[in-house]
């Protein structure tokens, strides 16, 4: 993917070297050849927690791991036929299945590494669905489900976790990997086999099927609660995997197969905490618990029903259309003596300069200047007129209900009172004496759309606990999966965030290979490097796919954690978000989008014939350079579009209601980068881009707003309205500069107070601890005295009691 930006720049240079006439024809032909003409349909993409089950299974394996499928089968069959000659796994009954699984599990307890690895490979073959006896992919998936539940039932997961812990602490493997000049697939064999089995079990068991038996449903629920509880090694499994990520990034264990670790971490978090649907249900129930009014709409349904807007025009498109129109008008007015007079009156002339300025501004940000086809209907009238019904489409209504915060109502009332009466009342939102009738109606409308978030209630409660530590009462802390996870990662959360962002940076297509960056390709590079062109092409596809899967996993992990923490307690969310900001997450995501985003979304870095389980069931066709270049027939790459939306959502979460972070978007010149992301015709992605543009519009200046009216109207149509928000005009900008540091420092202080009150029991003030004043209970306490004290008890009595005079009068007073 490193070549994406270069190809775009080469096209641009090639275009600039052509004569004017040829350049126009070249651009027009290029536009005709591209797939994104005005007739291009929306991308048929359905955003969800993950791709379909078969795709998620196939992404676990690199193509270089292909030969290991047969090795796993060989290890299983050697052992199986020794104990059960002339038998087939698929023909045995459940009792025999269970007996053989238990026998294999006992084999994991041996000391010999070689024998243990063979047994682990045999178990992996079971988790892969004993594909040697299956004739179709459906059959493989059936046996995968059966075998995964069987392995879980006999206790395989606990045994695998113990082995994984042993491998993580294997200092000999770590030190030999650190000394090696080049790490390959062979260095992580033991870890990869264990992680493969665990991933297959988690991914298979968490996917529900209507045909599942009640016994399987019970097993699933038990497994879910165990995964999220600190049962294994006194910490949730996710915390152990986070530890692997930081160990890898610190350079102490460069042989860790990071893609598999991140995929298992993502699926564990998704399974134990729940996905986007569960989050929405939890939000509804939590609002009901807190006595808040229900949500005005289901955000998932609203986003799914949206249509994509046509992408904003680039300068070259507008100029070309204006020239065509001008030529037609000139033919009609050719007999005029002074054509310059007409040109001066040309209403499009001023627009030309604006658009050119805008394009130059974009080019300064080293973005690709490749012209993108636009929906001409919406920018200028087409040469062939269409019926108005085809072109003009009025929305039936706004997609989102407007929202107003309590703070907005207070500000509106304060400004109204000072304007009409000349006094203020602070936080009073009820007194409207002396204000004109229209102001009364405005306040009524604002209050109708007032929205109180769960976060606001949590902040108010936290302030109460801080003010009144004694009379505030005990906080009821529900030890759910997300609370246990937060407690587990709290001590090292900053290191975890830095590690994830380091890997994300290394996997981003815009990153150039540097000697000091971490090597994330250790678990994809073969021992012997390719010798033929075909092998090199295959490895190139594999490496790009590997990076894309890593980006997908990290973006999903970060988004899920941010959303779950925010619902559980807003200061948990703020703690994680602040450390992401400190670790430069905002410029990193902008750097990720500073590429030809259409090329990234339509990338074809997959070879479907080599995907599991297709490759183990069907005969492999002969791969050729042409078939590798052609890729698949999909309109877009699901995982890349999923990653882009996740990263945009993370950026929204980090910057929402934070002026200092919004200004970071402005300082890093994100507007042209984000505007180019609007070229992707997918409603959900466009919505999150438009949200990011909306928050910074008032800081971009009047000229930018004039030049980008199409983007402004898209924001009006698609993004939720805040009734008092003056985002489109910038009239409410404060004259004084923002004190960004103070804002972040105040937030940090609130977070630290929350964390120390809730989780740091050693720091609790001894003045606030309960005191036992009952003489009877104090004297009745049994205290274990040391042996030397018991031996010298007489001496102690003599010295401390009998020989000291007691003034009873003073004591009684």
């Amino acid at each position: 993917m490193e070549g994406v930006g270069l190809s775009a720049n080469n096209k641009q240079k090639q275009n600039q070297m052509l004569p004017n006439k040829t350049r126009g024809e070249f651009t027009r032909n290029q536009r005709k050849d591209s797939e994104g003409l005005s007739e291009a349909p929306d991308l048929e993409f359905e955003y969800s927690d993950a791709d379909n089950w078969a795709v998620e299974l196939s992404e676990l394996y690199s193509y270089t791991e292909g030969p290991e499928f047969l090795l796993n089968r060989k290890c299983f069959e050697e052992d199986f036929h020794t104990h059960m000659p002339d038998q087939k796994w698929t023909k045995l009954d459940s009792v025999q299945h269970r007996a053989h699984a238990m026998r294999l599990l006992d084999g994991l307890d041996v000391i010999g590494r070689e024998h243990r690895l063979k047994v682990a490979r045999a178990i992996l073959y079971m988790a892969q669905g004993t594909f040697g006896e299956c004739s179709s992919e459906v059959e493989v998936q059936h046996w995968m489900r059966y075998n995964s539940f069987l392995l879980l039932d006999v206790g395989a997961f606990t045994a695998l976790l113990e082995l994984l812990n042993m491998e993580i602490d294997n200092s000999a493997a770590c030190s030999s990997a650190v000394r090696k000049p080049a790490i390959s697939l062979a260095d992580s064999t033991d870890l990869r086999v264990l992680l493969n089995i665990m991933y297959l079990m988690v991914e298979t068991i968490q996917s529900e099927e209507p045909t599942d038996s009640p016994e399987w449903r019970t097993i699933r629920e038990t497994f879910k609660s165990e995964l999220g509880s600190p049962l294994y090694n006194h910490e949730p499994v996710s915390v152990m995997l986070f530890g692997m990520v930081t160990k890898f990034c610190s350079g102490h264990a460069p042989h860790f197969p990071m893609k598999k670790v991140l995929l298992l971490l993502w699926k564990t978090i998704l399974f134990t905490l729940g996905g986007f649907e569960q989050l929405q249900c939890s939000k509804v129930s939590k609002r009901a618990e807190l006595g808040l009014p229900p949500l005005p709409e289901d955000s998932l349904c609203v986003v799914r029903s949206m249509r994509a807007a046509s992408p904003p025009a680039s300068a070259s498109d507008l100029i070309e259309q204006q020239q065509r129109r001008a030529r037609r008008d000139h033919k009609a007015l050719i007999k005029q003596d002074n054509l310059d007079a007409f040109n001066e009156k040309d209403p499009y002339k001023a627009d030309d300069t604006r658009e050119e300025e805008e394009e130059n501004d974009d080019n300064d940000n080293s973005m690709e200047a490749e012209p993108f086809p636009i929906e001409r209907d919406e920018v200028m009238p087409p040469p062939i007129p269409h019926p108005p019904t085809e072109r003009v489409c009025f929305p039936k209504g706004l997609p989102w209900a407007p929202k107003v915060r309590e703070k907005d109502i207070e500000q509106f009332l304060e400004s109204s009172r000072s304007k009409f009466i000349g006094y203020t009342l602070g936080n009073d939102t009820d007194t409207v004496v002396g204000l004109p009738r229209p102001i009364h109606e405005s306040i009524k409308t604002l209050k109708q759309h007032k929205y109180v978030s769960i976060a606001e209630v949590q902040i108010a409660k936290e302030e109460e606990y801080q003010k009144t530590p004694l009379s505030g009462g005990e906080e009821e802390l529900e030890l759910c999966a997300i609370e246990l996870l937060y407690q587990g990662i709290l001590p090292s959360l900053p290191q975890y965030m830095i590690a994830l962002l380091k890997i994300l940076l290394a996997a981003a297509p815009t990153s150039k290979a540097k000697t000091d960056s971490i090597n994330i390709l250790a678990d994809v590079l073969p021992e012997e490097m390719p010798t033929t062109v075909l092998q090199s092409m295959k490895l190139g596809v594999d490496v790009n796919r590997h990076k894309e899967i890593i980006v997908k996993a990290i973006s999903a992990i970060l988004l899920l954690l941010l959303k779950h923490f925010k619902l559980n307690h807003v200061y948990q969310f703020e703690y994680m978000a602040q450390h992401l900001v400190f670790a430069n997450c905002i410029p990193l995501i902008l750097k990720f989008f500073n590429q030809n985003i259409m090329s990234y979304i339509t990338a074809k870095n997959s070879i479907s014939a080599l995907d599991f389980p297709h490759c183990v069931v069907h005969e492999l066709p002969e791969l050729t350079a042409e078939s590798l270049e052609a890729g698949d027939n999909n309109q877009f790459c699901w995982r890349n579009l999923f990653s882009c939306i996740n990263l945009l959502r993370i950026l929204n979460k980090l910057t929402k209601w934070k002026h200092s972070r919004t200004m970071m978007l402005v300082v890093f010149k994100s507007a042209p980068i984000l505007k180019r992301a609007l070229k992707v015709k997918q409603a959900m992605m466009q919505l999150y881009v438009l949200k990011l543009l909306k928050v910074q519009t008032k800081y971009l200046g009047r000229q930018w707003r004039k030049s980008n009216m199409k983007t402004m109207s898209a924001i009006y149509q698609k993004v939720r309205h805040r009734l008092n928000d003056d985002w489109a005009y910038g009239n409410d900008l404060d004259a004084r500069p923002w004190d960004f540091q103070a804002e972040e420092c105040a937030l940090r202080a609130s977070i630290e107070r929350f964390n120390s009150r809730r989780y740091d029991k050693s720091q609790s003030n001894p003045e606030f601890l309960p005191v036992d004043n009952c003489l009877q209970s104090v004297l009745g306490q049994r205290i274990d005295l040391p042996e030397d004290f018991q031996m010298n008890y007489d001496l102690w009595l003599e010295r401390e009691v009998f020989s000291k005079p007691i003034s009873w009068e003073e004591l009684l007073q």
Side-chain angles (χ1 to χ4, degrees):
M1 288 303 299
E2 277 85 350
V4 167
L6 292 173
S7 61
N9 292 335
N10 288 343
K11 280 182 199 169
Q12 187 185 348
K13 287 173 190 167
Q14 194 179 359
N15 197 354
Q16 285 167 352
M17 287 190 293
L18 296 166
N20 282 341
K21 186 180 175 190
T22 324
R23 194 190 307 171
E25 287 170 10
F26 178 78
T27 308
R28 276 195 294 278
N29 294 337
Q30 194 184 33
R31 199 173 299 126
K32 280 174 191 169
D33 293 341
S34 77
E35 294 174 358
L37 285 165
S38 57
E39 291 79 20
D42 290 6
L43 299 182
E44 294 299 321
F45 171 82
E46 191 171 329
Y47 183 78
S48 63
D49 296 314
D51 209 337
N52 65 60
W53 188 43
V55 175
E56 294 296 337
L57 294 180
S58 70
E59 288 184 352
L60 174 64
Y61 310 101
S62 306
Y63 295 141
T64 42
E65 284 181 273
E68 295 189 17
F69 290 125
L70 294 177
L71 184 57
N72 299 339
R73 178 180 174 180
K74 184 183 168 191
C75 290
F76 175 84
E77 287 179 349
E78 279 178 6
D79 180 76
F80 184 67
H81 293 312
T82 306
H83 294 98
M84 296 185 179
D86 305 324
Q87 292 281 0
K88 278 194 170 186
W89 177 262
T90 51
K91 304 297 180 191
L92 300 181
D93 59 28
S94 57
V95 177
Q96 291 169 309
H97 282 150
R98 190 179 176 84
H100 187 69
M102 297 280 276
R103 194 181 302 118
L104 282 175
L105 215 56
D106 291 340
L108 287 178
D109 282 341
V110 296
I111 297 169
R113 178 176 287 274
E114 288 297 320
H115 181 71
R116 203 166 59 229
L117 181 60
K118 278 188 173 180
V119 173
R121 284 196 179 280
I123 293 173
L124 175 55
Y125 177 70
M126 279 179 66
Q128 287 170 340
T130 52
F131 52 79
E133 299 174 27
C134 302
S135 56
S136 69
E137 292 179 36
V138 176
E139 203 176 341
V140 172
Q141 289 174 1
H142 164 77
W143 283 103
M144 278 184 74
R145 284 183 71 74
Y146 177 84
N147 293 346
S148 294
F149 276 101
L150 172 67
L151 287 169
L152 183 64
D153 199 28
V154 297
F157 200 84
T158 313
L160 291 164
L161 269 173
E162 287 172 9
L163 281 176
L164 184 63
N165 257 320
M166 205 167 73
E167 286 299 326
I168 292 168
D169 299 332
N170 186 345
S171 54
C174 292
S175 56
S176 72
V178 169
R179 286 196 302 269
K180 276 193 175 183
I183 302 169
S184 70
L185 208 61
D187 295 293
S188 58
T189 306
D190 294 34
L191 279 164
R192 281 187 298 105
V193 170
L194 296 174
L195 289 165
N196 279 345
I197 306 169
M198 291 165 72
Y199 176 87
L200 290 173
M201 287 177 71
V202 171
E203 176 61 12
T204 308
I205 289 164
Q206 65 103 12
S207 58
E208 293 185 41
E209 293 286 332
T211 53
D212 287 352
S213 64
E215 186 188 356
W216 279 12
R217 291 177 196 276
T218 310
I219 290 172
R220 178 185 295 114
E221 287 307 311
T222 309
F223 184 42
K224 181 179 175 179
S225 62
E226 285 177 356
L227 268 184
S229 306
L231 295 181
Y232 309 108
N233 207 20
H234 306 296
E235 61 186 13
V237 175
S238 306
V239 178
M240 188 180 87
L241 295 170
F242 267 121
M244 287 185 78
V245 175
T246 46
K247 196 172 180 183
F248 170 80
C249 284
S250 64
H252 296 311
H255 65 298
F256 280 2
M258 213 18 63
K259 184 188 86 173
K260 294 183 193 296
V261 174
L262 290 166
L263 283 173
L264 179 57
L265 176 58
W266 169 34
K267 295 298 180 175
T268 306
I269 290 171
L270 183 61
F271 182 32
T272 52
L273 306 184
F276 303 126
E277 299 276 356
Q278 290 95 318
L279 269 163
Q280 189 71 10
C281 296
S282 303
K283 194 173 180 181
V284 169
S285 59
K286 193 147 194 172
R287 286 186 70 82
E289 276 174 38
L290 295 171
L292 296 172
L295 291 166
E297 69 275 295
D298 185 338
S299 53
L300 290 171
C301 295
V302 175
V303 173
R304 281 171 187 161
S305 62
M306 275 187 175
R307 301 295 299 159
S310 58
S314 64
S316 51
D317 293 307
L318 283 176
I319 292 165
E320 188 192 329
Q321 289 173 7
Q322 288 151 14
Q323 285 170 350
R324 271 209 311 272
R325 185 183 183 125
R327 279 198 297 273
R328 286 205 310 275
D329 291 343
H330 277 267
K331 283 175 187 174
L333 299 162
I334 204 73
K335 290 181 182 177
Q336 282 187 7
D337 295 326
N338 189 356
L339 290 178
D340 289 338
F342 169 77
N343 281 339
E344 281 170 15
K345 292 173 188 173
D346 187 356
Y348 295 100
K349 195 167 183 182
D351 290 350
D352 279 3
T353 56
R354 272 210 307 271
E355 289 297 331
E356 282 177 53
E357 281 171 17
E358 185 197 352
E359 193 64 14
N360 292 339
D361 173 49
D362 287 2
N363 287 342
D364 289 343
N365 285 278
S366 70
M367 295 293 298
E368 80 282 356
E370 194 174 337
F372 186 82
I374 55 166
E375 296 226 8
R376 298 183 182 113
D377 294 0
E378 291 189 32
V379 179
M380 289 193 63
I384 304 163
H386 292 293
T389 48
E390 285 182 28
R391 207 153 45 85
V392 182
C393 178
F394 295 105
K396 290 179 181 175
L398 295 171
W400 305 98
K403 280 184 182 176
V404 180
R405 294 184 299 169
E406 181 76 19
K407 191 178 169 186
D408 298 332
I409 301 173
E410 285 171 15
Q411 285 175 348
F412 176 73
L413 264 168
E414 286 297 274
S415 62
S416 300
R417 285 178 189 136
S418 60
K419 181 179 174 183
F420 291 104
I421 305 166
Y423 70 87
T424 56
L425 289 176
N427 297 337
D428 186 341
T429 57
D430 297 318
T431 308
V432 289
V433 176
L435 294 175
R437 176 69 58 191
I439 299 293
H440 290 212
E441 289 173 9
S442 301
I443 294 160
K444 187 181 173 185
T445 306
L446 288 172
K447 286 187 175 179
Q448 275 176 353
H449 294 98
K450 187 173 118 176
Y451 176 80
V452 181
S453 67
I454 294 169
E456 288 172 76
V457 176
Q458 290 170 340
I459 289 169
K461 278 188 177 178
E462 183 59 28
E463 283 175 3
E464 193 64 32
Y465 284 128
Q466 297 290 353
K467 279 180 193 171
T468 55
L470 294 174
S471 59
E474 277 294 313
E475 184 182 14
E476 291 179 20
L477 199 59
E478 186 191 350
L479 289 176
C480 53
I482 184 64
E483 183 61 41
L484 290 166
L485 178 59
Y486 184 76
Q487 289 179 16
I489 67 173
L490 177 62
S492 307
L493 188 136
Q495 293 92 304
Y496 296 154
M497 295 305 111
I498 290 167
L500 286 176
L501 293 183
K502 266 189 182 177
I503 300 169
L504 182 61
L505 176 63
T510 47
S511 296
K512 300 291 175 280
K514 291 179 187 169
T515 49
D516 59 340
S517 65
I518 49 175
N519 176 20
I520 55 167
L521 304 177
D523 54 328
V524 70
L525 297 175
E527 282 185 275
E528 295 175 7
M529 292 309 283
T531 52
T532 66
V533 175
L534 187 65
Q535 286 175 341
S536 298
M537 286 181 72
K538 183 182 158 189
L539 184 59
V541 169
D542 207 4
V543 165
N544 286 339
R545 174 176 177 266
H546 182 81
K547 287 182 175 181
E548 289 172 5
I549 294 166
I550 286 176
V551 172
K552 172 185 174 180
I554 292 177
S555 67
I557 289 166
L558 291 175
L559 181 61
L560 276 173
L561 286 179
L562 284 171
K563 285 187 78 66
H564 277 286
F565 284 151
K566 188 164 189 185
L567 192 57
N568 195 49
H569 200 290
V570 66
Y571 281 134
Q572 295 177 349
F573 158 80
E574 294 291 7
Y575 185 54
M576 179 179 165
Q578 196 163 58
H579 279 292
L580 284 173
V581 173
F582 292 162
N584 281 336
C585 185
I586 292 175
L588 171 55
I589 294 176
L590 292 174
K591 180 183 170 70
F592 180 89
F593 280 96
N594 197 1
Q595 59 168 312
N596 186 335
I597 209 73
M598 281 304 292
S599 297
Y600 186 68
I601 277 167
T602 54
K604 299 190 184 301
N605 291 314
S606 56
I607 309 165
S608 52
L610 297 179
D611 283 341
F612 178 87
H614 184 277
C615 63
V616 293
V617 176
H618 304 286
E619 283 291 318
L620 284 183
E622 189 181 348
L623 292 174
T624 61
E626 290 74 25
S627 66
L628 287 183
E629 273 184 353
D632 52 30
N633 297 321
N634 292 337
Q635 186 190 12
F636 57 88
C637 175
W638 196 96
R639 67 172 162 264
N640 289 357
L641 191 44
F642 175 75
S643 303
C644 288
I645 292 174
N646 285 346
L647 290 170
L648 287 167
R649 294 183 77 183
I650 291 164
L651 203 50
N652 268 292
K653 291 210 164 296
L654 296 182
T655 52
K656 191 175 181 182
W657 303 122
K658 304 283 189 303
H659 291 294
S660 56
R661 298 176 194 175
T662 303
M663 290 308 292
M664 284 177 81
L665 293 177
V666 180
V667 169
F668 289 119
K669 295 190 175 178
S670 65
I673 296 172
L674 293 168
K675 233 187 93 180
R676 277 186 173 79
L678 288 174
K679 292 174 181 177
V680 181
K681 287 199 72 178
Q682 206 284 322
M684 191 169 193
M685 182 162 165
Q686 285 186 346
L687 172 69
Y688 290 111
V689 171
L690 292 170
K691 279 185 170 190
L692 288 165
L693 285 169
K694 179 186 173 181
V695 294
Q696 56 178 313
T697 300
K698 63 173 79 169
Y699 306 107
L700 295 175
R702 187 160 171 255
Q703 186 60 45
W704 188 91
R705 294 195 289 273
K706 277 172 70 179
S707 306
N708 291 277
M709 285 314 294
K710 193 168 182 205
T711 307
M712 299 287 281
S713 49
I715 293 171
Y716 266 115
Q717 285 174 3
K718 295 194 178 298
V719 182
R720 187 192 301 278
H721 288 262
R722 295 269 170 182
L723 292 185
N724 280 21
D725 192 2
D726 200 9
W727 67 271
Y729 303 99
N731 295 333
D732 63 344
L733 281 179
D734 215 327
R736 64 177 173 78
W738 289 103
D739 190 354
F740 304 134
Q741 210 171 356
E743 192 182 352
E744 290 292 348
C745 286
L747 178 61
R748 190 173 189 172
S750 299
I751 295 164
E752 283 175 357
R753 282 196 299 269
F754 164 77
N755 281 336
S756 63
R757 180 187 69 79
R758 247 203 197 186
Y759 305 111
D760 196 354
K761 297 301 176 190
S762 61
Q763 294 293 320
S764 56
N765 192 330
E767 296 290 324
F768 296 153
L769 292 174
V771 178
D772 188 355
N773 291 319
C774 178
L775 189 66
Q776 205 168 2
S777 66
V778 170
L779 292 175
Q781 284 178 9
R782 179 173 177 77
I783 297 170
D784 293 322
L785 301 169
E787 280 185 30
D788 57 339
F789 180 81
Q790 290 177 20
M791 287 169 67
N792 301 306
Y793 181 57
D794 296 338
L795 289 171
W796 182 85
L797 273 175
E798 184 62 40
R799 190 180 72 238
E800 297 292 332
V801 182
F802 301 143
S803 64
K804 289 202 172 181
I806 299 169
S807 174
W808 292 103
E809 287 80 9
E810 283 183 30
L811 191 65
L812 290 169
Q813 283 175 2

